[in-house]
Structures are given as structure tokens and as C-alpha cells.
Amino acid sequence: MTTPALAPTVPPAAPRSGLHTALLWLTRLVMLPQAIAFVLQPISIGSFLQGTWAALDVHLITGGILVIVTWMTGVCGLALGVVGRHWWLVAASVALGFLTTAQVALGSTRMLVLHVPLGVALVALALWLAIWPWTRGAKGARR
């Protein structure tokens, strides 16, 4: 009598370190307000286009603050990406800082043909970076 061949099993993945968990929570806490500020940008400029002049000031101030915030959250994303070996997170977090700086420069020079589509892309990227830390892929062990 022969025994059937057993299917190969995948060894269980090692749990994440305490550093990874701490960085994950820090990233969650900083990416969420950043995403809210990014979503506020098209809302504020839309209000300005509807005739509320103060909304332009909100748009300008929020843009300036986002330059600083994206670099701070970029450091969190960089650290979490390196510790968790999520290399795309490193690239996306650093790119968000560079692109936000470029976005403010394009807006201040009134290059709306580039400012508007880049703004749409930045809102999408900021939302993705705020949602991803809450997914199973962020907290689960790498395979």
C-alpha cells in the first residue's frame, strides 16, 4: 500500500516586530489627517470658484501646510516601508512630498493645465496612503 503524496505546506510567517506595529500605528495616525487636508483642497477651490473669496486663502494656506506635512508623513512612510519591506510605500511616500512641493509651485505660477491634473493624482495618492495602513497587507506578515 502506498501513501498519497502530501501537498507541500507553506511554513507560517513570522509575526511582525514591535517596531513594525509602532510604525504602522504612527503611519495610520499621520496619513489620515493628511488625506483629509488633501480632500479639502478641491473643496476649497470649488468654493472660491462659486464666489467665496476666503476659500482661496484656505486653499493657499492648506497647500503650504501640506508641503510640510507630506515631508513629515514621508518620513513615516519611508520608515515603515523599510522595516516592512514595502518598497512601493517608500517610493510613494517620498514622491508625495516632491509632487506636493511641485504642485504648490505650479499653483503659485498659475500653471493650471498642470496644477489641476496633478492635484487630482495627489488626492488619489493621499487617499490610498491613508487607506492602505488599515488593510491586511499592511499588518500581515510578508510572504
Side-chain angles (χ1 to χ4, degrees):
M1 172 180 232
T2 60
T3 58
L6 297 175
T9 60
V10 178
R16 292 291 192 177
S17 69
L19 176 61
H20 180 272
T21 302
L23 286 172
L24 182 59
W25 274 104
L26 180 62
T27 303
R28 287 172 175 169
L29 292 174
V30 297
M31 293 288 187
L32 196 56
Q34 172 184 273
I36 292 168
F38 268 104
V39 169
L40 177 65
Q41 287 296 83
I43 293 170
S44 64
I45 203 62
S47 293
F48 167 70
L49 293 174
Q50 291 292 325
T52 306
W53 283 92
L56 180 60
D57 292 334
V58 171
H59 186 76
L60 296 172
I61 292 168
T62 304
I65 291 170
L66 275 171
V67 170
I68 298 165
V69 169
T70 55
W71 286 110
M72 291 173 20
T73 59
V75 171
C76 292
L78 179 86
L80 179 62
V82 169
V83 168
R85 292 181 291 176
H86 301 290
W87 303 114
W88 68 267
L89 180 60
V90 173
S93 298
V94 172
L96 188 65
F98 279 110
L99 292 174
T100 302
T101 304
Q103 173 73 350
V104 169
L106 289 170
S108 66
T109 58
R110 310 292 192 268
M111 293 187 65
L112 298 181
V113 69
L114 297 174
H115 181 75
V116 172
L118 180 57
V120 171
L122 287 173
V123 170
L125 180 58
L127 286 172
W128 174 247
L129 288 173
I131 292 168
W132 179 80
W134 299 95
T135 64
R136 186 178 303 146
K139 62 182 173 183
R142 299 281 299 173
R143 290 173 175 76

